[in-house]
Amino acid sequence: MVLTGRNGSGKSTLLRVVAGFLRPEKGSVTFTNSGGRTNRRPSEVSHYLGHRNAMKNELTIAENLEFWRSFLDDGSQAPTASIEDAAEAVGLGGITHLPFGYLSAGQQRRFAFAKLLVAHRPIWLLDEPTAALDTNADKLFAALIGEHQRKGGIVLAATHQPLGLSNVQELRMKSFAGGEAGVWGA
Amino acid sequence: MIALFFRDLKLSVRAGGGALIGILFFLTVVVVVPFGVGPDLNLLSRIGPAIVWIGALLAALLGLDRLFQAERDDGSLDLLLMQETPLVITVIVKCVAHWTATSLPLVIASPLLGLFMNMNEAAIGATMLTLLAGSPAITFIGAVGSAVAVALPRGGLLVSILVLPLTIPVLIFGVSASYAADQEPAPFLPPFLILIALTLFFAVIGPAAAALALRNTAD
């Protein structure tokens, strides 16, 4: 699902509510798996890619990814990409020995995306995933998101750019100016 | 969790990490005192344990404000908050890593600095032992301050001020146990046991309070 809307219309806020950082004023967020069980919090089964990349400049890319790989490992048997495969998948194989801080903003963003591939989470919450990226990377991300959907994953992305995805629903958030509430439903 | 421990250790020894800063600050504080006090060796050995303890306390507080702020700055904190593992455990692991990287070197350096203060062997040993037992408490207390001030852009001094009153008991019992080791009538064990009790107490209270503060930091 793609969230669109003007600046300040609440796209990021909605994502942060789903991720459990903010308490919703009304309503609740629940996660129901394919077996109908609701015993896990939505934040536990989600990847969150915010405006910041959650990678350390001082560590190498491989160390960063290796850390998130083992830290985010939830013991499930779901297959995950190796560090080098994830780097290849975002089009930057072979430079994982460099410190993260050496990279350009676009490359950093790509590796932040690679973080989603090294640990399995069925839900991806993406906040402006394609900021600072070239058109080539847009296509790459669209392909990766499509791949995730094919494996049965859910993607919730707030974005201004058309991601070039097929099979998406759009939730357009109206701004609150004029006391108008957001419109829900695609 | 082990991955988090080793990542924090690596970060603290790489560029921009606080491990070396703390120990240099400790060295500076203790080395300057004999110049200020003058060459009275008896006086130096009398105030030695206190000066070493104060230096270690201030040095330990120095890097604490970055404990969670660095994580927040690059967005890692969000991901740490989201996980299934209880946040308290994450906080404890971060505290232990921080203690290993910044406070343990202070403990190891303290005998050398004790020599500068003309302390005898018993006093040096006791100071090192009490620092080893007491410095984890400082880290756990500091974690609370660091978590409360995580969203403040210049929270460093605020953290020290918030935390300092709570560290006073640790300082008092640490220093009194160190003195007791070479001044005969005073017993060593009671203040030392209270020091250990303080460390255990704050090891429980500190991470829980820090986790609560982090959960309620909405930005």
Side-chain angles (χ1 to χ4, degrees):
Chain A
M1 176 180 279
V2 174
L3 300 173
T4 56
R6 286 198 290 173
N7 294 136
S9 59
K11 302 186 293 294
S12 300
T13 308
L14 178 59
L15 286 180
R16 292 186 73 80
V17 168
V18 175
F21 304 134
L22 299 173
R23 232 170 267 127
E25 194 171 323
K26 264 192 261 175
S28 62
V29 183
T30 51
F31 168 73
T32 313
N33 70 7
S34 50
R37 293 166 63 87
T38 54
N39 56 349
R40 303 188 71 185
R41 287 182 295 136
S43 66
E44 290 167 11
V45 290
S46 305
H47 267 308
Y48 176 76
L49 179 63
H51 295 282
R52 289 167 292 193
N53 292 325
M55 305 279 262
K56 296 286 177 196
N57 286 340
E58 297 87 356
L59 300 180
T60 68
I61 299 148
E63 283 169 335
N64 267 306
L65 290 176
E66 191 58 56
F67 163 69
W68 284 120
R69 181 191 181 77
S70 50
F71 187 78
L72 298 176
D73 181 22
D74 57 357
S76 69
Q77 300 302 313
T80 55
S82 72
I83 304 300
E84 204 45 52
D85 287 349
E88 290 288 346
V90 293
L92 292 173
I95 58 166
T96 52
H97 59 284
L98 291 176
F100 188 70
Y102 282 18
L103 305 177
S104 75
Q107 287 175 318
Q108 292 190 339
R109 201 66 184 154
R110 285 186 185 217
F111 276 116
F113 203 91
K115 186 175 79 228
L116 309 188
L117 304 174
V118 297
H120 173 74
R121 292 285 189 277
I123 303 175
W124 287 4
L125 307 172
L126 312 176
D127 198 351
E128 302 281 359
T130 52
L133 288 172
D134 52 31
T135 42
N136 208 347
D138 276 359
K139 286 200 202 91
L140 194 84
F141 278 22
L144 289 173
I145 290 172
E147 177 69 28
H148 181 62
Q149 283 177 313
R150 261 193 302 287
K151 287 183 192 158
I154 298 172
V155 178
L156 192 58
T159 183
H160 293 293
Q161 283 115 342
L163 287 171
L165 292 167
S166 54
N167 180 28
V168 287
Q169 291 177 305
E170 186 176 338
L171 171 59
R172 190 169 294 126
M173 315 268 298
K174 284 199 178 172
S175 79
F176 285 86
E180 199 175 17
V183 174
W184 302 86
Chain B
M1 280 301 134
I2 297 165
L4 180 65
F5 178 78
F6 283 111
R7 180 191 74 148
D8 277 17
L9 274 193
K10 265 188 216 156
L11 280 173
S12 61
V13 295
R14 298 243 169 120
L20 205 61
I21 304 287
I23 197 155
L24 283 177
F25 181 78
F26 185 36
L27 204 72
T28 319
V29 169
V30 178
V31 165
V32 159
V33 169
F35 292 104
V37 172
D40 183 348
L41 289 179
N42 288 333
L43 177 65
L44 276 182
S45 66
R46 208 160 64 239
I47 61 172
I51 297 295
V52 171
W53 250 95
I54 290 171
L57 172 68
L58 295 178
L61 288 179
L62 197 63
L64 266 172
D65 60 307
R66 297 295 293 165
L67 184 59
F68 297 113
Q69 210 169 37
E71 301 284 346
R72 185 182 171 276
D73 286 348
D74 64 11
S76 303
L77 186 61
D78 287 341
L79 272 64
L80 299 181
L81 288 175
M82 277 172 75
Q83 303 315 315
E84 200 175 355
T85 10
L87 187 57
V88 179
I89 308 280
T90 309
V91 172
I92 290 177
V93 171
K94 280 191 72 68
C95 287
V96 171
H98 187 270
W99 179 82
T100 313
T102 60
S103 297
L104 194 58
L106 301 182
V107 175
I108 294 167
S110 63
L112 177 70
L113 297 173
L115 287 180
F116 289 162
M117 300 302 294
N118 190 35
M119 286 152 63
N120 62 23
E121 303 81 20
I124 287 176
T127 307
M128 192 176 174
L129 192 62
T130 50
L131 274 178
L132 185 68
S135 55
I138 299 171
T139 306
F140 287 122
I141 297 167
V144 183
S146 173
V148 168
V150 69
L152 299 175
R154 294 212 177 270
L157 187 64
L158 183 69
V159 171
S160 303
I161 292 170
L162 278 176
V163 156
L164 212 54
L166 289 169
T167 57
I168 296 297
V170 182
L171 182 67
I172 290 173
F173 288 105
V175 172
S176 56
S178 309
Y179 275 128
D182 71 334
Q183 290 170 357
E184 214 25 79
F188 171 74
L189 214 50
F192 186 66
L193 289 179
I194 291 179
L195 187 67
I196 291 174
L198 281 172
T199 296
L200 294 175
F201 178 72
F202 284 116
V204 175
I205 300 287
L212 194 68
L214 288 175
R215 279 254 180 260
N216 289 294
T217 308
D219 50 342

